PDB file of all heavy atoms in Angstrom:
ATOM      1  N   VAL A   7      81.565  84.029 107.316  1.00  0.00           N
ATOM      2  CA  VAL A   7      81.220  83.103 108.403  1.00  0.00           C
ATOM      3  C   VAL A   7      81.529  81.669 108.000  1.00  0.00           C
ATOM      4  O   VAL A   7      82.103  80.894 108.778  1.00  0.00           O
ATOM      5  CB  VAL A   7      79.736  83.258 108.792  1.00  0.00           C
ATOM      6  CG1 VAL A   7      79.263  82.068 109.630  1.00  0.00           C
ATOM      7  CG2 VAL A   7      79.536  84.554 109.572  1.00  0.00           C
ATOM      8  N   GLY A   8      81.160  81.296 106.762  1.00  0.00           N
ATOM      9  CA  GLY A   8      81.434  79.938 106.305  1.00  0.00           C
ATOM     10  C   GLY A   8      82.919  79.626 106.282  1.00  0.00           C
ATOM     11  O   GLY A   8      83.354  78.567 106.752  1.00  0.00           O
ATOM     12  N   GLN A   9      83.732  80.548 105.755  1.00  0.00           N
ATOM     13  CA  GLN A   9      85.179  80.341 105.713  1.00  0.00           C
ATOM     14  C   GLN A   9      85.774  80.287 107.109  1.00  0.00           C
ATOM     15  O   GLN A   9      86.651  79.470 107.386  1.00  0.00           O
ATOM     16  CB  GLN A   9      85.843  81.469 104.919  1.00  0.00           C
ATOM     17  CG  GLN A   9      85.540  81.456 103.437  1.00  0.00           C
ATOM     18  CD  GLN A   9      86.227  82.594 102.712  1.00  0.00           C
ATOM     19  OE1 GLN A   9      87.426  82.799 102.855  1.00  0.00           O
ATOM     20  NE2 GLN A   9      85.467  83.340 101.940  1.00  0.00           N
ATOM     21  N   PHE A  10      85.302  81.161 107.975  1.00  0.00           N
ATOM     22  CA  PHE A  10      85.823  81.195 109.348  1.00  0.00           C
ATOM     23  C   PHE A  10      85.558  79.876 110.061  1.00  0.00           C
ATOM     24  O   PHE A  10      86.456  79.318 110.706  1.00  0.00           O
ATOM     25  CB  PHE A  10      85.179  82.350 110.109  1.00  0.00           C
ATOM     26  CG  PHE A  10      85.406  82.288 111.596  1.00  0.00           C
ATOM     27  CD1 PHE A  10      86.648  82.572 112.132  1.00  0.00           C
ATOM     28  CD2 PHE A  10      84.366  81.924 112.455  1.00  0.00           C
ATOM     29  CE1 PHE A  10      86.858  82.497 113.504  1.00  0.00           C
ATOM     30  CE2 PHE A  10      84.576  81.849 113.816  1.00  0.00           C
ATOM     31  CZ  PHE A  10      85.822  82.141 114.346  1.00  0.00           C
ATOM     32  N   ILE A  11      84.345  79.359 109.945  1.00  0.00           N
ATOM     33  CA  ILE A  11      84.001  78.102 110.608  1.00  0.00           C
ATOM     34  C   ILE A  11      84.874  76.964 110.097  1.00  0.00           C
ATOM     35  O   ILE A  11      85.444  76.185 110.874  1.00  0.00           O
ATOM     36  CB  ILE A  11      82.510  77.779 110.395  1.00  0.00           C
ATOM     37  CG1 ILE A  11      81.624  78.737 111.206  1.00  0.00           C
ATOM     38  CG2 ILE A  11      82.206  76.341 110.782  1.00  0.00           C
ATOM     39  CD1 ILE A  11      81.697  78.542 112.697  1.00  0.00           C
ATOM     40  N   GLU A  12      85.001  76.844 108.790  1.00  0.00           N
ATOM     41  CA  GLU A  12      85.771  75.745 108.209  1.00  0.00           C
ATOM     42  C   GLU A  12      87.257  75.876 108.507  1.00  0.00           C
ATOM     43  O   GLU A  12      87.944  74.890 108.766  1.00  0.00           O
ATOM     44  CB  GLU A  12      85.545  75.683 106.694  1.00  0.00           C
ATOM     45  CG  GLU A  12      84.136  75.276 106.310  1.00  0.00           C
ATOM     46  CD  GLU A  12      83.723  73.951 106.943  1.00  0.00           C
ATOM     47  OE1 GLU A  12      84.532  73.002 106.924  1.00  0.00           O
ATOM     48  OE2 GLU A  12      82.602  73.872 107.454  1.00  0.00           O
ATOM     49  N   ASN A  13      87.793  77.089 108.475  1.00  0.00           N
ATOM     50  CA  ASN A  13      89.224  77.290 108.711  1.00  0.00           C
ATOM     51  C   ASN A  13      89.613  77.120 110.171  1.00  0.00           C
ATOM     52  O   ASN A  13      90.681  76.585 110.474  1.00  0.00           O
ATOM     53  CB  ASN A  13      89.638  78.696 108.268  1.00  0.00           C
ATOM     54  CG  ASN A  13      89.667  78.855 106.769  1.00  0.00           C
ATOM     55  OD1 ASN A  13      89.380  77.922 106.032  1.00  0.00           O
ATOM     56  ND2 ASN A  13      89.998  80.037 106.303  1.00  0.00           N
ATOM     57  N   THR A  14      88.742  77.570 111.072  1.00  0.00           N
ATOM     58  CA  THR A  14      89.128  77.664 112.477  1.00  0.00           C
ATOM     59  C   THR A  14      88.785  76.425 113.274  1.00  0.00           C
ATOM     60  O   THR A  14      89.529  76.037 114.180  1.00  0.00           O
ATOM     61  CB  THR A  14      88.447  78.892 113.130  1.00  0.00           C
ATOM     62  OG1 THR A  14      88.708  80.052 112.337  1.00  0.00           O
ATOM     63  CG2 THR A  14      88.978  79.118 114.538  1.00  0.00           C
ATOM     64  N   PHE A  15      87.675  75.770 112.946  1.00  0.00           N
ATOM     65  CA  PHE A  15      87.224  74.645 113.761  1.00  0.00           C
ATOM     66  C   PHE A  15      87.347  73.306 113.041  1.00  0.00           C
ATOM     67  O   PHE A  15      86.672  72.349 113.377  1.00  0.00           O
ATOM     68  CB  PHE A  15      85.775  74.858 114.199  1.00  0.00           C
ATOM     69  CG  PHE A  15      85.586  76.109 115.015  1.00  0.00           C
ATOM     70  CD1 PHE A  15      85.009  77.229 114.459  1.00  0.00           C
ATOM     71  CD2 PHE A  15      86.027  76.162 116.326  1.00  0.00           C
ATOM     72  CE1 PHE A  15      84.842  78.385 115.203  1.00  0.00           C
ATOM     73  CE2 PHE A  15      85.862  77.314 117.076  1.00  0.00           C
ATOM     74  CZ  PHE A  15      85.275  78.432 116.524  1.00  0.00           C
ATOM     75  N   SER A  16      88.201  73.234 112.032  1.00  0.00           N
ATOM     76  CA  SER A  16      88.451  71.967 111.345  1.00  0.00           C
ATOM     77  C   SER A  16      89.936  71.749 111.256  1.00  0.00           C
ATOM     78  O   SER A  16      90.723  72.695 111.351  1.00  0.00           O
ATOM     79  CB  SER A  16      87.838  71.976 109.947  1.00  0.00           C
ATOM     80  OG  SER A  16      88.413  73.011 109.168  1.00  0.00           O
ATOM     81  N   GLU A  17      90.346  70.485 111.076  1.00  0.00           N
ATOM     82  CA  GLU A  17      91.757  70.158 111.031  1.00  0.00           C
ATOM     83  C   GLU A  17      92.388  70.714 109.774  1.00  0.00           C
ATOM     84  O   GLU A  17      91.837  70.657 108.686  1.00  0.00           O
ATOM     85  CB  GLU A  17      91.962  68.637 111.072  1.00  0.00           C
ATOM     86  CG  GLU A  17      91.565  68.018 112.404  1.00  0.00           C
ATOM     87  CD  GLU A  17      91.907  66.549 112.434  1.00  0.00           C
ATOM     88  OE1 GLU A  17      92.474  66.051 111.453  1.00  0.00           O
ATOM     89  OE2 GLU A  17      91.619  65.901 113.457  1.00  0.00           O
ATOM     90  N   HIS A  18      93.634  71.241 109.973  1.00  0.00           N
ATOM     91  CA  HIS A  18      94.388  71.766 108.834  1.00  0.00           C
ATOM     92  C   HIS A  18      95.150  70.657 108.150  1.00  0.00           C
ATOM     93  O   HIS A  18      95.651  69.759 108.801  1.00  0.00           O
ATOM     94  CB  HIS A  18      95.361  72.837 109.331  1.00  0.00           C
ATOM     95  CG  HIS A  18      96.173  73.475 108.255  1.00  0.00           C
ATOM     96  ND1 HIS A  18      95.660  73.827 107.027  1.00  0.00           N
ATOM     97  CD2 HIS A  18      97.474  73.814 108.211  1.00  0.00           C
ATOM     98  CE1 HIS A  18      96.597  74.375 106.293  1.00  0.00           C
ATOM     99  NE2 HIS A  18      97.727  74.370 106.983  1.00  0.00           N
ATOM    100  N   ASP A  19      95.192  70.748 106.816  1.00  0.00           N
ATOM    101  CA  ASP A  19      95.995  69.773 106.072  1.00  0.00           C
ATOM    102  C   ASP A  19      97.464  70.103 106.248  1.00  0.00           C
ATOM    103  O   ASP A  19      97.954  71.102 105.752  1.00  0.00           O
ATOM    104  CB  ASP A  19      95.624  69.840 104.584  1.00  0.00           C
ATOM    105  CG  ASP A  19      96.427  68.857 103.745  1.00  0.00           C
ATOM    106  OD1 ASP A  19      97.098  67.988 104.337  1.00  0.00           O
ATOM    107  OD2 ASP A  19      96.368  68.964 102.505  1.00  0.00           O
ATOM    108  N   ASN A  20      98.172  69.229 106.981  1.00  0.00           N
ATOM    109  CA  ASN A  20      99.566  69.494 107.292  1.00  0.00           C
ATOM    110  C   ASN A  20     100.523  68.858 106.305  1.00  0.00           C
ATOM    111  O   ASN A  20     101.726  68.814 106.547  1.00  0.00           O
ATOM    112  CB  ASN A  20      99.891  68.980 108.702  1.00  0.00           C
ATOM    113  CG  ASN A  20      99.208  69.831 109.755  1.00  0.00           C
ATOM    114  OD1 ASN A  20      99.191  71.043 109.664  1.00  0.00           O
ATOM    115  ND2 ASN A  20      98.637  69.181 110.748  1.00  0.00           N
ATOM    116  N   SER A  21      99.988  68.318 105.239  1.00  0.00           N
ATOM    117  CA  SER A  21     100.903  67.694 104.287  1.00  0.00           C
ATOM    118  C   SER A  21     101.822  68.756 103.719  1.00  0.00           C
ATOM    119  O   SER A  21     101.387  69.786 103.234  1.00  0.00           O
ATOM    120  CB  SER A  21     100.112  67.020 103.161  1.00  0.00           C
ATOM    121  OG  SER A  21      99.295  67.954 102.507  1.00  0.00           O
ATOM    122  N   SER A  22     103.090  68.514 103.802  1.00  0.00           N
ATOM    123  CA  SER A  22     104.067  69.497 103.373  1.00  0.00           C
ATOM    124  C   SER A  22     104.398  69.318 101.902  1.00  0.00           C
ATOM    125  O   SER A  22     104.166  68.283 101.305  1.00  0.00           O
ATOM    126  CB  SER A  22     105.346  69.376 104.205  1.00  0.00           C
ATOM    127  OG  SER A  22     105.880  68.080 104.054  1.00  0.00           O
ATOM    128  N   GLN A  23     104.963  70.362 101.335  1.00  0.00           N
ATOM    129  CA  GLN A  23     105.379  70.295  99.943  1.00  0.00           C
ATOM    130  C   GLN A  23     106.500  69.275  99.826  1.00  0.00           C
ATOM    131  O   GLN A  23     107.330  69.140 100.695  1.00  0.00           O
ATOM    132  CB  GLN A  23     105.878  71.686  99.529  1.00  0.00           C
ATOM    133  CG  GLN A  23     106.016  71.858  98.040  1.00  0.00           C
ATOM    134  CD  GLN A  23     106.274  73.318  97.694  1.00  0.00           C
ATOM    135  OE1 GLN A  23     106.308  74.166  98.561  1.00  0.00           O
ATOM    136  NE2 GLN A  23     106.454  73.605  96.431  1.00  0.00           N
ATOM    137  N   SER A  24     106.523  68.520  98.737  1.00  0.00           N
ATOM    138  CA  SER A  24     107.523  67.475  98.580  1.00  0.00           C
ATOM    139  C   SER A  24     108.914  68.063  98.530  1.00  0.00           C
ATOM    140  O   SER A  24     109.123  69.182  98.072  1.00  0.00           O
ATOM    141  CB  SER A  24     107.250  66.665  97.312  1.00  0.00           C
ATOM    142  OG  SER A  24     107.453  67.472  96.171  1.00  0.00           O
ATOM    143  N   THR A  25     109.880  67.297  99.026  1.00  0.00           N
ATOM    144  CA  THR A  25     111.255  67.774  99.098  1.00  0.00           C
ATOM    145  C   THR A  25     111.761  68.238  97.748  1.00  0.00           C
ATOM    146  O   THR A  25     112.468  69.231  97.638  1.00  0.00           O
ATOM    147  CB  THR A  25     112.157  66.641  99.630  1.00  0.00           C
ATOM    148  OG1 THR A  25     111.663  66.230 100.903  1.00  0.00           O
ATOM    149  CG2 THR A  25     113.577  67.105  99.773  1.00  0.00           C
ATOM    150  N   ALA A  26     111.409  67.510  96.684  1.00  0.00           N
ATOM    151  CA  ALA A  26     111.933  67.842  95.361  1.00  0.00           C
ATOM    152  C   ALA A  26     111.472  69.211  94.889  1.00  0.00           C
ATOM    153  O   ALA A  26     112.102  69.819  94.034  1.00  0.00           O
ATOM    154  CB  ALA A  26     111.518  66.782  94.358  1.00  0.00           C
ATOM    155  N   GLU A  27     110.368  69.725  95.431  1.00  0.00           N
ATOM    156  CA  GLU A  27     109.828  70.994  94.975  1.00  0.00           C
ATOM    157  C   GLU A  27     110.412  72.175  95.732  1.00  0.00           C
ATOM    158  O   GLU A  27     110.245  73.318  95.343  1.00  0.00           O
ATOM    159  CB  GLU A  27     108.300  70.999  95.127  1.00  0.00           C
ATOM    160  CG  GLU A  27     107.595  69.982  94.244  1.00  0.00           C
ATOM    161  CD  GLU A  27     106.106  69.933  94.524  1.00  0.00           C
ATOM    162  OE1 GLU A  27     105.677  70.511  95.532  1.00  0.00           O
ATOM    163  OE2 GLU A  27     105.381  69.322  93.740  1.00  0.00           O
ATOM    164  N   LEU A  28     111.078  71.951  96.837  1.00  0.00           N
ATOM    165  CA  LEU A  28     111.574  73.032  97.662  1.00  0.00           C
ATOM    166  C   LEU A  28     112.803  73.665  97.032  1.00  0.00           C
ATOM    167  O   LEU A  28     113.843  73.042  96.905  1.00  0.00           O
ATOM    168  CB  LEU A  28     111.907  72.525  99.067  1.00  0.00           C
ATOM    169  CG  LEU A  28     110.710  72.196  99.955  1.00  0.00           C
ATOM    170  CD1 LEU A  28     111.187  71.613 101.263  1.00  0.00           C
ATOM    171  CD2 LEU A  28     109.857  73.428 100.199  1.00  0.00           C
ATOM    172  N   LYS A  29     112.683  74.937  96.647  1.00  0.00           N
ATOM    173  CA  LYS A  29     113.798  75.674  96.080  1.00  0.00           C
ATOM    174  C   LYS A  29     114.302  76.752  97.048  1.00  0.00           C
ATOM    175  O   LYS A  29     115.365  77.316  96.844  1.00  0.00           O
ATOM    176  CB  LYS A  29     113.375  76.346  94.769  1.00  0.00           C
ATOM    177  CG  LYS A  29     112.825  75.372  93.724  1.00  0.00           C
ATOM    178  CD  LYS A  29     113.860  74.353  93.293  1.00  0.00           C
ATOM    179  CE  LYS A  29     113.304  73.459  92.189  1.00  0.00           C
ATOM    180  NZ  LYS A  29     114.258  72.410  91.797  1.00  0.00           N
ATOM    181  N   GLU A  30     113.514  77.049  98.069  1.00  0.00           N
ATOM    182  CA  GLU A  30     113.861  78.071  99.045  1.00  0.00           C
ATOM    183  C   GLU A  30     113.040  77.818 100.301  1.00  0.00           C
ATOM    184  O   GLU A  30     112.145  76.966 100.298  1.00  0.00           O
ATOM    185  CB  GLU A  30     113.543  79.451  98.469  1.00  0.00           C
ATOM    186  CG  GLU A  30     112.059  79.638  98.135  1.00  0.00           C
ATOM    187  CD  GLU A  30     111.744  81.049  97.693  1.00  0.00           C
ATOM    188  OE1 GLU A  30     111.906  81.962  98.528  1.00  0.00           O
ATOM    189  OE2 GLU A  30     111.330  81.224  96.534  1.00  0.00           O
ATOM    190  N   PRO A  31     113.325  78.529 101.396  1.00  0.00           N
ATOM    191  CA  PRO A  31     112.536  78.329 102.621  1.00  0.00           C
ATOM    192  C   PRO A  31     111.039  78.508 102.367  1.00  0.00           C
ATOM    193  O   PRO A  31     110.614  79.435 101.684  1.00  0.00           O
ATOM    194  CB  PRO A  31     113.084  79.412 103.563  1.00  0.00           C
ATOM    195  CG  PRO A  31     114.489  79.608 103.110  1.00  0.00           C
ATOM    196  CD  PRO A  31     114.457  79.440 101.611  1.00  0.00           C
ATOM    197  N   TYR A  32     110.269  77.593 102.916  1.00  0.00           N
ATOM    198  CA  TYR A  32     108.809  77.584 102.739  1.00  0.00           C
ATOM    199  C   TYR A  32     108.172  77.719 104.113  1.00  0.00           C
ATOM    200  O   TYR A  32     108.483  76.964 105.030  1.00  0.00           O
ATOM    201  CB  TYR A  32     108.376  76.279 102.076  1.00  0.00           C
ATOM    202  CG  TYR A  32     106.913  76.225 101.687  1.00  0.00           C
ATOM    203  CD1 TYR A  32     106.502  76.574 100.416  1.00  0.00           C
ATOM    204  CD2 TYR A  32     105.951  75.804 102.599  1.00  0.00           C
ATOM    205  CE1 TYR A  32     105.164  76.514 100.043  1.00  0.00           C
ATOM    206  CE2 TYR A  32     104.610  75.749 102.242  1.00  0.00           C
ATOM    207  CZ  TYR A  32     104.223  76.106 100.965  1.00  0.00           C
ATOM    208  OH  TYR A  32     102.888  76.050 100.619  1.00  0.00           O
ATOM    209  N   PHE A  33     107.292  78.724 104.269  1.00  0.00           N
ATOM    210  CA  PHE A  33     106.709  79.023 105.573  1.00  0.00           C
ATOM    211  C   PHE A  33     105.227  78.667 105.571  1.00  0.00           C
ATOM    212  O   PHE A  33     104.515  78.964 104.609  1.00  0.00           O
ATOM    213  CB  PHE A  33     106.878  80.514 105.891  1.00  0.00           C
ATOM    214  CG  PHE A  33     106.337  80.908 107.242  1.00  0.00           C
ATOM    215  CD1 PHE A  33     107.064  80.668 108.392  1.00  0.00           C
ATOM    216  CD2 PHE A  33     105.100  81.521 107.347  1.00  0.00           C
ATOM    217  CE1 PHE A  33     106.576  81.036 109.631  1.00  0.00           C
ATOM    218  CE2 PHE A  33     104.595  81.894 108.580  1.00  0.00           C
ATOM    219  CZ  PHE A  33     105.338  81.649 109.724  1.00  0.00           C
ATOM    220  N   SER A  34     104.774  78.034 106.647  1.00  0.00           N
ATOM    221  CA  SER A  34     103.357  77.686 106.767  1.00  0.00           C
ATOM    222  C   SER A  34     102.911  77.875 108.213  1.00  0.00           C
ATOM    223  O   SER A  34     103.613  77.456 109.139  1.00  0.00           O
ATOM    224  CB  SER A  34     103.137  76.232 106.339  1.00  0.00           C
ATOM    225  OG  SER A  34     101.774  75.882 106.471  1.00  0.00           O
ATOM    226  N   PHE A  35     101.761  78.532 108.391  1.00  0.00           N
ATOM    227  CA  PHE A  35     101.233  78.793 109.733  1.00  0.00           C
ATOM    228  C   PHE A  35      99.723  78.680 109.690  1.00  0.00           C
ATOM    229  O   PHE A  35      99.076  79.142 108.753  1.00  0.00           O
ATOM    230  CB  PHE A  35     101.633  80.207 110.187  1.00  0.00           C
ATOM    231  CG  PHE A  35     100.949  80.654 111.453  1.00  0.00           C
ATOM    232  CD1 PHE A  35     101.458  80.300 112.686  1.00  0.00           C
ATOM    233  CD2 PHE A  35      99.795  81.424 111.399  1.00  0.00           C
ATOM    234  CE1 PHE A  35     100.839  80.716 113.853  1.00  0.00           C
ATOM    235  CE2 PHE A  35      99.161  81.838 112.558  1.00  0.00           C
ATOM    236  CZ  PHE A  35      99.690  81.489 113.794  1.00  0.00           C
TER     237      PHE A  35
END
């Protein structure tokens, strides 16, 4: 219940991985 509340009703951190770290396609949902 605690995880569900925090994950579903709070803002997601949309900061993406830095360009220099990307070695292949990175998927986030």
Side-chain angles (χ1 to χ4, degrees):
V7 164
Q9 291 180 51
F10 167 73
I11 289 291
E12 292 305 315
N13 288 0
T14 308
F15 300 104
S16 61
E17 292 185 2
H18 181 41
D19 180 11
N20 290 317
S21 58
S22 59
Q23 194 170 358
S24 67
T25 302
E27 295 175 348
L28 287 176
K29 303 298 184 183
E30 61 174 296
Y32 187 94
F33 182 79
S34 179
F35 170 84

